[in-house]
Amino acid sequence: MLLRTKLFGTTYEFASVKEVLAKANEEKSGDRQAGIAADSVAERVAARYVLAELDLQTLRENPAVPYEDDEVTRVIDDGVNEAIFREIRGWKVGDLREWLLADTTDGDMVSRVSKGLTAEMVAAVTKLMSNLDLVLGAKKIRITAHCNNTIGLPGTLASRNQPNHPTDSVEGIRASIYEGLSLGSGDSVIGINPSDDSTGSVARLLEMTQEVIDRWEIPTQNCVLAHVTTQMEALKRGAPMGLMFQSLAGTQKANESFGIDVDLLDEAYDMAKRYCNSAGPNYMYFETGQGTALSADAHYDADQLVMEARNYGLAKRYSPYQVNTVVGFIGPEYLYDSVQITRAGLEDHFMGKLTGISMGCDACYTNHARATQNDIENLAVLLSAAGCNYFMGVPMGDDAMLSYQCTSYHDAPSLRQALDLRPIPQFEAWMEDIGLMSDGKLTAKAGDASFFLQR
Amino acid sequence: MTTTPHDLDAIIAAVIEELRAGAAATNGREAPAATGSTSVPAAAPAPAAAPAPAAAPATQQRSGAAPPVTHAEASGRFTGEFGIDLPDPTEPERRHALRVEDPYDAEGLANMASTTTARLGVGRSGPRPRTSSLLLFQADHGVTQDAIHGTVDPEVLERFDLFTVTTRVADREEYLLRPDLGRRLSDQAKADITERCTKSPQVQIVVGDGLSAAAIDNNLAKILPVIEQGLSAAKISLGTPFFVENARVGLMNDINDIVGAEVIILLIGERPGLGIADALSAYMGYRPTAGKTDADRDLICMITEHGGTNPLEAGAYVVEFAKRMLQHQASGQELRRLTADDA
C-alpha cells in the first residue's frame, strides 16, 4: 500500500496504516517513548494529509492488532452494524471530520453512524480535529444512561463523589462523602477506590455507602472500584451494589496484565444485571487512560490514542452507565505536561461520545507532571463546554489515598454556576428538598459536612 | 547629579514614611502598636461586595508568644506599625483549622475531620474554597514542584565526601520523559565508579536524587551516619559511597555490575506527595544484576521527619535488613520466603 505525500517539496512516505495513525497523532511523550511518534512537526502534518485521504474500509481492514490475534479487535469488529458500514465505507477520514462538524449533522445522525465505526476510525478522525473541533463535535452527541438516575441529559453536569481514604476507614470515608454531598457531589456515583482489595473490606464499604444512601434517600448509586473479581465475590455474598467497576485496556494482552478478559467481563456484566440493587438498565462503570497498553508493553506499536479508542469500543459492549478517562494519572512519561493532558482529555471525551458511551473525565495530574490545579480547572471548563457527563469530586482536589490531584468537590458547583448547568435532575430535586440547593445554587447550609449529622 | 548609596537609603526611608502616613490616614483607623499586634489578613475589613465574614477561627489569630519582627524592623531602617508577619500556615494547628462558617455541629465536624487525612472542613465562598484553604493547597503543591525540579545541595554531598556521577539522562526534562535512561549509568559514570570505588565490598551505599532533591538535603545527614556506623560496628565491609544524579531505582543493577557488592543500599528521593516533599526511600538488594526487579528488592519508604519514619530510626532498620540479606544471601521475595520459618 502506497502511503505518501509531498510537503514543502519534501516527500514523506509511511510503511503502514498504523504508522500513518501514530505519526499523525498530536505530540505525546508516550508515543515518543515508544519510538513511534513523528520525527518532526512537518512529518506529523504530512501524516495527517495522508490520513485525511484514507477511507474507512481501509481502516477497518487494518486494526492495530489483527482480528485473529486479539479479542478486543474481535469485540469491536463484530459489533459493527454492517448496513450502516456499507453506507460509509467509502468515506475518507477528512470527509468524516467535516460531516461530524457540519450544522446539517445532528446528534442522532452521529449516533447512528457511530454504529458503523471501529476504534481505528474513531481515533483517526480525532487526530484531524483541533481542540475546538473536539469541543464542538462532542457537544452535539448526547449520550444518556440510567442506573438509579439519568446521567448525560443536556444542561446537566454530574460529579462522582470520590471519598478515598489511605486505610479505608469507614468513618473517614463517610466524613468525606458528607463533605462532598454538602457541595452537590455524588449524583454520578458515590465511588470509592479501596486501598484494601479484599472481599470483606469491599463489602463493608458497599454496606456503609448503601446505608448513607438509604438514610438520606439519595437518588444515586454506590460503587467500590476494586478488581471486578472481588466485586463479584462481594455480590455473591449479598453486598449492596449499584454499579460494577473495572479498569480497561486496549488489547487482549494489556487486559491480561489487569487480570481480565472478555469472558470475565461478560460474566461480571451478567452478574451485575442479576444482582445489583439499582434500577438499571446500565450497571457498569469503566475507567481508562492513554498509555496503559504501552505501560504493559502490549501496544503492538500502535499509538496511545488508537489504544484508548479501543477501550471505548470494548466498553460499549457492556452498555455502561459511565466511563471516564483518568487522563493525567499515568505520569509525564506518557502525557508530559498540561498541554498534552488537556489535549488528551478533550480527545478521550470526544472519542467516548463518538463511540456511543456515557463519557466523563477524571481531569487530573501527578506531582511530577508539568501541570498545576489551574490546568485541570481549565480542562474541566473546556470539557463542560463540550458536554462532558461528569467529573470527579475529591476533597480540595487532593486524593488522600491515590496521591494525585484532580477536581475538587467545589468544582462541580462552580462549573455548573459558570456555565449554566445543573446536577442530575433527581439529585438536584433531592438537594432542594433537604435545603442544600435553591434555584441552581448552593444555599447557606451547603459546604458543611456536619449538616449530615442531623439524621 | 550623583547620589551615593547613603543618599538613596535616606530617600527611600523618607518615601516609605510618607506612604505609610498616607495609608494610615486612608484606612481611618488607629495604627496598631509597634509592640506586635499587627493584624493578620483574617481580621482585615472584608470587601464591600462580600458577605460579612464570620469571626476568624482562633487558629488564625496571632499566638502572641513573641513580638513579631517585620522586615523593616529587622533591617534597622525604621520601626513602625506596618508589616505582615504570619505564623506558619503549615503547622498542624493552622493546617487543620476548620474553615466552615457557622457549621451545624462544630464539634461533630471536628470529629469527622480527625478521621481522615483528606482536606475536610475547608469551607467555601460561593462555590469556591476559602482563601486560606486555596493557599494551603498551593503551598503544598509548591514544595513538591521545588523538590522535583530542584538539585541536591552540593554541601550535603561534600560533607560525606560523595563524588557525583550521572545516568544516561541529559537533563531533568529527559529524566521525567525517559525512565529507562535513568536506570542506566552513563559511560563516564561507569569509568568513574570503576576508578574510584573499592570492589567487592560486603555493602555498597549509593545516594540518588530520584524525584526529590529535598529528600536528600533533609535526611541524608541523619540516616547515612547511622547506616555506616551500624554496619561498621558489625564488622561489615563498606564500599566507596557516591551520588548519582537523575537516578531511578533500576540503576542498582548497573552499579553492581561494576562494584560487585553483596548488598547494594540505594537511598533515593521519592515522588513528592502533596505537602510531604522530602520523603526518602531506601531500596536494598542482594547481588543486584541485569534483570533483577522490585520483587528482588526490599524497601523502606516514607523516610521523613514530616509524618513518616524518622531517618535515624530508618537507618537502624536498613542496617538490620543488610545483616539479614548477608546472612541469608537473598533479598526481596526470596528473603521473605527464607525467613518465613523464623517468624
Side-chain angles (χ1 to χ4, degrees):
Chain A
M1 192 185 311
L2 191 59
L3 299 162
R4 189 165 71 190
T5 188
K6 274 189 184 167
L7 193 65
F8 295 107
T10 304
T11 300
Y12 296 90
E13 191 166 339
F14 307 95
S16 64
V17 171
K18 194 188 280 187
E19 187 184 332
V20 172
L21 284 165
K23 293 201 164 174
N25 212 23
E26 199 76 9
E27 169 88 23
K28 305 277 170 59
S29 49
D31 291 339
R32 204 159 280 292
Q33 188 198 151
I36 56 175
D39 292 327
S40 66
V41 184
E43 188 188 25
R44 176 171 298 128
V45 180
R48 284 181 191 161
Y49 270 100
V50 174
L51 182 61
E53 294 301 315
L54 273 178
D55 59 55
L56 302 186
Q57 173 93 36
T58 303
L59 283 164
R60 187 171 180 190
E61 288 166 358
N62 289 275
V65 196
Y67 184 92
E68 304 73 39
D69 301 343
D70 185 272
E71 63 180 11
V72 176
T73 303
R74 289 196 290 276
V75 163
I76 294 168
D77 197 81
D78 293 349
V80 169
N81 179 302
E82 300 295 345
I84 294 169
F85 177 71
R86 269 197 301 276
E87 290 174 26
I88 60 172
R89 64 186 172 193
W91 290 13
K92 292 177 172 146
V93 179
D95 299 335
L96 176 58
R97 173 185 170 277
E98 292 186 353
W99 182 82
L100 286 167
L101 295 171
D103 289 326
T104 47
T105 305
D106 66 19
D108 288 345
M109 293 160 73
V110 176
S111 291
R112 181 176 172 277
V113 158
S114 99
K115 295 181 199 306
L117 300 178
T118 63
E120 283 74 12
M121 302 175 203
V122 169
V125 74
T126 302
K127 290 158 194 276
L128 295 186
M129 296 180 79
S130 75
N131 284 9
L132 190 50
D133 292 356
L134 294 172
V135 170
L136 208 59
K139 175 81 176 180
K140 68 168 72 169
I141 316 169
R142 296 307 314 197
I143 312 284
T144 60
H146 190 278
C147 189
N148 283 326
N149 56 20
T150 313
I151 198 166
L153 292 167
T156 67
L157 174 65
S159 171
R160 166 183 161 193
N161 190 327
Q162 181 175 310
N164 299 342
H165 186 281
T167 57
D168 291 343
S169 152
V170 166
E171 292 71 31
I173 289 174
R174 191 191 290 116
S176 289
I177 291 174
Y178 286 168
E179 179 117 345
L181 288 172
S182 80
L183 286 161
S185 172
D187 45 351
S188 109
V189 63
I190 297 174
I192 303 156
N193 297 90
S195 158
D196 173 0
D197 203 272
S198 71
T199 309
S201 178
V202 168
R204 188 158 55 244
L205 295 178
L206 285 167
E207 279 153 17
M208 180 271 284
T209 45
Q210 186 65 46
E211 194 265 333
V212 170
I213 289 170
D214 289 345
R215 191 186 323 157
W216 284 89
E217 298 172 64
I218 310 169
T220 188
Q221 37 278 322
N222 66 345
C223 184
V224 177
L225 289 75
H227 193 268
V228 70
T229 50
T230 312
Q231 295 169 83
M232 289 162 77
E233 190 56 38
L235 264 188
K236 279 182 201 159
R237 294 192 197 174
M241 183 187 296
L243 281 174
M244 183 174 285
F245 170 84
Q246 181 55 43
S247 293
L248 299 181
T251 63
Q252 183 176 339
K253 187 180 169 195
N255 280 322
E256 277 166 16
S257 78
F258 283 170
I260 59 167
D261 59 23
V262 170
D263 280 347
L264 178 64
L265 291 172
D266 285 355
E267 192 187 335
Y269 181 43
D270 186 53
M271 271 199 77
K273 282 190 283 193
R274 289 168 57 206
Y275 294 104
C276 280
N277 61 14
S278 44
N282 308 107
Y283 298 97
M284 301 300 282
Y285 173 14
F286 297 115
E287 283 191 335
T288 68
Q290 291 189 28
T292 47
L294 174 60
S295 73
D297 193 23
H299 62 295
Y300 296 86
D301 288 330
D303 65 86
Q304 59 192 43
L305 195 72
V306 166
M307 283 292 131
E308 182 70 6
R310 291 164 59 92
N311 291 334
Y312 306 143
L314 176 58
K316 190 180 183 181
R317 177 181 178 91
Y318 305 105
S319 306
Y321 173 78
Q322 59 179 23
V323 179
N324 63 264
T325 172
V326 192
V327 71
F329 187 69
I330 194 161
E333 59 267 41
Y334 300 90
L335 294 170
Y336 181 64
D337 58 8
S338 60
V339 173
Q340 294 185 13
I341 292 171
T342 303
R343 171 73 192 180
L346 292 171
E347 289 169 341
D348 293 355
H349 172 254
F350 170 77
M351 293 199 299
K353 290 282 172 73
L354 183 55
T355 305
I357 54 178
S358 160
M359 194 70 195
C361 180
D362 186 346
C364 62
Y365 62 105
T366 58
N367 283 326
H368 59 325
R370 282 282 189 187
T372 70
Q373 202 69 16
N374 284 339
D375 298 312
I376 60 161
E377 288 179 3
N378 289 350
L379 175 56
V381 172
L382 290 170
L383 282 173
S384 296
C388 186
N389 286 15
Y390 66 101
F391 295 106
M392 307 297 121
V394 165
M396 278 305 287
D398 172 15
D399 192 292
M401 201 278 281
L402 293 171
S403 291
Y404 79 127
Q405 287 88 249
C406 62
T407 38
S408 171
Y409 283 145
H410 297 76
D411 293 354
S414 304
L415 292 161
R416 289 167 184 154
Q417 211 165 304
L419 296 165
D420 203 15
L421 299 165
R422 295 295 184 97
I424 286 177
Q426 296 97 324
F427 191 86
E428 181 174 1
W430 171 78
M431 290 280 287
E432 289 210 348
D433 197 43
I434 62 169
L436 291 179
M437 272 188 93
S438 175
D439 295 330
K441 282 191 180 159
L442 299 172
T443 67
K445 292 177 183 171
D448 169 20
S450 72
F451 175 90
F452 287 94
L453 296 176
Q454 294 176 70
R455 284 189 200 168
Chain B
M1 186 180 124
T2 58
T3 45
T4 66
H6 178 80
D7 292 336
L8 275 176
D9 279 354
I11 291 164
I12 289 164
V15 170
I16 289 170
E17 191 67 30
E18 212 167 288
L19 287 172
R20 183 143 24 86
T26 312
N27 279 346
R29 60 192 168 96
E30 198 176 337
T35 47
S37 61
T38 44
S39 56
V40 296
T59 48
Q60 286 183 297
Q61 305 289 353
R62 174 173 305 290
S63 68
V69 179
T70 66
H71 272 301
E73 285 169 327
S75 70
R77 293 243 172 78
F78 62 89
T79 59
E81 66 280 10
F82 256 70
I84 294 169
D85 179 24
L86 304 171
D88 188 340
T90 66
E91 293 288 335
E93 59 174 299
R94 278 171 285 274
R95 170 177 289 281
H96 299 300
L98 297 175
R99 300 178 175 89
V100 177
E101 292 176 23
D102 196 18
Y104 170 78
D105 179 350
E107 197 185 329
L109 184 62
N111 288 340
M112 280 197 286
S114 72
T115 61
T116 177
T117 49
R119 293 168 194 251
L120 298 190
V122 295
R124 65 186 185 93
S125 181
R128 303 307 297 157
R130 299 289 301 271
T131 303
S132 49
S133 303
L134 181 69
L135 294 182
L136 183 61
F137 178 96
Q138 290 176 357
D140 287 339
H141 185 248
V143 289
T144 71
Q145 298 305 290
D146 290 342
I148 288 169
H149 299 286
T151 51
V152 172
D153 181 357
E155 277 183 28
V156 174
L157 303 178
E158 275 166 36
R159 183 165 159 195
F160 294 102
D161 209 18
L162 302 177
F163 67 94
T164 297
V165 299
T166 64
T167 59
R168 293 188 180 271
V169 165
D171 55 31
R172 205 61 180 163
E173 183 176 331
E174 188 171 64
Y175 175 76
L176 293 171
L177 287 167
R178 295 289 303 272
D180 55 323
L181 299 180
R183 297 185 194 112
R184 307 297 306 278
L185 289 169
S186 69
D187 291 339
Q188 185 61 49
K190 286 181 180 176
D192 289 350
I193 293 168
T194 304
E195 186 191 321
R196 300 177 71 162
C197 286
T198 305
K199 303 302 175 303
S200 307
Q202 283 178 288
V203 174
Q204 169 73 49
I205 299 171
V206 182
V207 179
D209 50 3
L211 281 159
S212 171
I216 307 303
D217 288 354
N218 296 359
N219 298 305
L220 193 67
K222 299 192 180 76
I223 193 170
L224 190 55
V226 174
I227 298 173
E228 287 183 334
Q229 286 161 25
L231 293 173
S232 298
K235 306 271 185 280
I236 291 167
S237 69
L238 292 177
T240 317
F242 57 93
F243 171 72
V244 190
E245 200 174 60
N246 290 322
R248 298 263 180 188
V249 174
L251 199 60
M252 291 166 75
N253 297 350
D254 243 20
I255 290 169
N256 208 40
D257 285 345
I258 303 173
V259 298
E262 284 187 71
V263 171
I264 296 263
I265 298 170
L266 174 63
L267 304 173
I268 188 166
E270 290 178 12
R271 187 174 106 193
L274 215 61
I276 302 171
D278 70 348
L280 183 79
S281 280
Y283 280 87
M284 297 157 282
Y286 185 79
R287 294 206 182 280
T289 187
K292 296 279 182 167
T293 68
D294 278 347
D296 306 301
R297 297 169 190 140
D298 286 280
L299 165 67
I300 298 168
C301 61
M302 270 298 276
I303 301 168
T304 166
E305 289 176 301
H306 300 105
T309 303
N310 180 290
L312 299 173
E313 200 182 326
Y317 289 144
V318 169
V319 171
E320 287 313 305
F321 256 114
K323 284 184 191 170
R324 236 182 306 157
M325 286 179 185
L326 290 168
Q327 184 194 338
H328 295 279
Q329 304 191 349
S331 59
Q333 285 174 357
E334 178 69 3
L335 179 64
R336 279 192 283 286
R337 194 181 62 76
L338 290 172
T339 54
D341 304 333
D342 305 350

